[in-house]
Structure formats: C-alpha cells, structure tokens
C-alpha cells in the first residue's frame, strides 16, 4: 500500500513554548525564508500552555489569549500557517478561529472528546502517537477523527506524528517499523525529530526535568527519511535553547535547524518512491 506522501515536504517548526513575541518572530522569519529557498510547506508551531510539565513549579507559558494575539500578528506579518496544542475541549473554538492546525498531544491521543472536537472544526488536525501506543492502534484514532470530520461536513486533513515509544522508565525509541504500519491509515506521517530524542524525567528518581540527546536528532531524521514513508517533519527551534523554559536539551538553534533542513529536504525528495518496493515483501 503506497504511503500518502506529499509533493512537497511539510515542516512543522517553532519554539516549544510561546515565551515571547520576539522569540516567535525570530524563528518564524528564519524558517519562512528557508521554506521559500528550499521549497517546503511551512507551518509555525508554539504552545500557549505546556500543560504536561514534569514539575508543578515549571513555567507553563503565556496563556491562551496573549498567544492567540501573537499568532494573529505572525500570520499578518508572514502569511504563515499556525499550529498549537489543545488540551481541553473548551479551548477548541478560540484556537480554531486563529490557528490552521490543531494538535492533539501524545499523552491525550486517546481522549475521544478532544480528538472529535478538533476534527469537527474543519481545521487540519495533527495527532501525536502516544509513547504508550502501538503503531497499529493509531488506526482507530484516525478513523475516529475522520468520522467526526465527515459527520460535521468538514474536510480537515488528519496527520499522524511519530515521536517514539517508551523504553523502560527514562528513554524513548523510534521504531522505524511504526512508519509503514501507521501509513496504512493513509494519513500523512510526520516524524517529530526533537521530542524523539527526549529522556523523560532524566533526573532519575523524583526527577523534575526531562532531558534529551539532541545529538541524535540528525541520525533519527535521516533514518526515518530513508523509509520513504514520511510526509514531513516536526522540530522545535529556539534562538537560544539553553535559556528555553521547556525542552532546552531537545530544541535546535537556528543554525542547527538550517543545517538539518538543508540536508533533509534533498534526501526527502530522493526517498519519495523508496517505499514502493515494500509491497513485494508481503
């Protein structure tokens, strides 16, 4: 079964949290320029609320109202599409008025009301595969979203994002077999490059902060690209990752993101037809 691969790669990228408009503007400007030069479809991302922080004392973001205003300003300035996470159903109407893509966080991918509510808006919905989910089990979640969209008369596209599976208590593993399995849903498959490097609760017993192994981001991205099943990539980009309020060990700086995208886009173009051989091995 041929994967639903696009004509141009889809890049979802931006800072983990909407810390300030200046940060968001700097990242959006950089990536919009790269999109025009390298020929990829770009969606800016940032979270208005980091609702699943490891520590109760961690900074969560600038909130819904302020961030939606910033999103509107970015759209006016760059004409860029916007993605953000939703965590509760009451957030959906306000977010859908401004944002082009609603994202279901990995830990919430089985929350029926959230998935259905997002799909009913007619917006594109990006569902992140939970770290606890088998790849094949995501088919029922995609069907749930598609059914809700059809019943609402909306035509929003459903994306599936791979971000690794829990391995023991403090590690994530990206199993490349997950990509062709999830591609059977005919949903475009996205690789979350930076979250896939996370080391959850890296502080050990009672750890207050998740760590990451950013050095493996290029390796994972290249390996996943070679499968031929990807429609695009998700990556978190910050002007100064060590000073970020979240995912400081996983986020890429502007230079790193550019180096990686300059390598990945040609590889992606070359890999688009590679998966067609797989039907001969079933």
């Amino acid at each position: 079964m041929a994967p639903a691969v696009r004509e141009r790669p889809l890049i979802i990228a931006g800072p983990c949290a909407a810390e300030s408009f200046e940060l968001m503007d700097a990242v959006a400007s950089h990536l919009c320029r790269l999109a025009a030069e390298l020929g990829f479809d770009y969606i800016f991302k940032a979270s208005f609320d980091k609702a699943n922080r490891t520590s109760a004392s961690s900074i969560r973001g600038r909130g819904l109202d302020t961030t939606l205003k910033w999103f509107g300003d970015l759209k006016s300035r760059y004409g860029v599409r916007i993605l953000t996470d939703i965590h509760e159903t009451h957030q959906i109407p306000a977010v859908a008025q401004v944002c082009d893509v609603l994202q279901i966080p990995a830990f919430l991918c089985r929350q029926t009301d959230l998935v259905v509510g997002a799909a009913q808006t007619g917006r594109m919905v990006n569902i992140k595969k939970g770290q606890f989910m088998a790849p094949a089990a995501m088919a029922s979640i995609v069907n749930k979203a598609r059914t809700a969209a059809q019943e609402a008369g909306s035509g929003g596209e459903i994306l599936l994002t791979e971000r690794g599976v829990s391995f023991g208590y403090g590690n994530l593993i990206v199993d490349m077999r997950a990509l062709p399995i999830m591609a059977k849903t005919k949903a475009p498959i996205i690789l979350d490059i930076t979250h896939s490097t996370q080391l959850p609760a890296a502080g050990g017993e009672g750890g207050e902060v998740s760590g990451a192994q950013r050095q493996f981001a290029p390796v994972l991205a290249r390996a996943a690209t070679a499968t031929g099943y990807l429609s695009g990539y998700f990556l978190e980009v910050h002007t100064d990752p060590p000073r970020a309020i979240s995912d400081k060990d996983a986020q890429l700086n502007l230079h790193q993101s550019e180096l990686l995208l300059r390598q990945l886009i040609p590889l992606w173009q070359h890999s688009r037809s590679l998966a067609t051989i797989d039907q001969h091995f079933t």
Side-chain angles (χ1 to χ4, degrees):
M1 182 178 293
V5 177
R6 295 165 171 264
E7 290 299 314
R8 286 157 53 104
L10 181 64
I11 306 298
I12 303 169
C16 179
E19 300 177 29
S20 69
F21 181 76
E22 291 72 23
L23 167 65
M24 294 164 59
D25 183 68
V27 174
S29 173
H30 180 75
L31 289 168
C32 283
R33 176 183 59 80
L34 277 181
E37 178 185 348
L38 300 179
F40 58 81
D41 294 327
Y42 176 49
I43 297 175
F44 176 86
K45 69 81 52 185
S47 298
F48 61 85
D49 180 15
K50 300 304 296 180
N52 63 345
R53 301 305 304 275
T54 303
S55 171
S57 62
S58 295
I59 301 172
R60 291 177 48 162
R62 297 298 295 270
L64 181 60
D65 293 341
T66 296
T67 306
L68 288 181
K69 181 183 182 304
W70 289 344
F71 286 158
D73 291 342
L74 287 180
K75 293 182 75 168
S76 296
R77 183 170 294 190
Y78 299 109
V80 66
R81 289 183 289 174
I82 303 288
L83 173 149
T84 198
D85 305 277
I86 52 172
H87 308 279
E88 301 179 68
T89 54
H90 70 80
Q91 298 168 344
I92 294 174
V95 171
Q97 283 188 352
V98 177
C99 297
D100 307 272
V101 189
L102 278 59
Q103 181 164 277
I104 308 298
F107 283 126
L108 298 178
C109 69
R110 286 181 57 90
Q111 296 297 104
T112 296
D113 289 347
L114 195 64
V115 172
V116 167
Q120 288 174 335
T121 65
R123 296 297 196 181
M124 183 185 289
V125 178
N126 183 33
I127 304 174
K128 287 198 161 185
K129 179 175 76 66
Q131 300 92 319
F132 47 87
M133 293 289 292
M138 295 304 295
S140 63
I141 297 175
V142 171
N143 289 336
K144 185 187 300 183
R146 285 177 174 156
T147 299
Q150 291 167 0
E151 291 177 348
S154 63
E157 189 174 21
I158 309 299
L159 310 177
L160 266 183
T161 292
E162 167 63 36
R163 56 143 307 154
V165 63
S166 294
F167 184 74
Y169 289 113
N171 201 357
L172 292 175
I173 296 294
V174 178
D175 182 351
M176 298 302 163
R177 294 174 299 179
L179 304 179
I181 291 171
M182 292 197 299
K184 292 179 181 179
T185 65
K186 289 294 186 178
I189 305 301
I190 308 297
L191 175 70
D192 184 337
I193 297 172
T194 47
H195 283 112
S196 294
T197 70
Q198 276 188 335
L199 299 173
E205 185 175 352
E208 292 287 300
V209 179
S210 291
Q213 296 174 310
R214 181 171 35 232
Q215 68 270 26
F216 294 125
V219 174
L220 292 174
R222 291 194 299 264
T225 302
T227 68
Y229 285 94
L230 289 185
S231 285
Y233 309 90
F234 177 108
L235 57 155
E236 293 192 324
V237 181
H238 195 285
T239 55
D240 189 4
R243 296 175 63 88
I245 67 171
S246 57
D247 283 349
K248 65 179 183 178
D249 293 334
Q251 296 196 68
L252 308 183
N253 62 36
L254 298 182
H255 178 63
Q256 290 166 334
S257 67
E258 180 170 346
L259 284 177
L260 186 55
L261 289 172
R262 286 189 181 280
Q263 183 180 67
L264 289 179
I265 301 306
L267 288 176
W268 183 90
Q269 295 288 357
H270 177 70
S271 73
R272 288 178 59 211
S273 63
L274 294 181
T276 58
I277 192 176
D278 294 2
Q279 60 186 314
H280 300 288
F281 289 79
T282 56

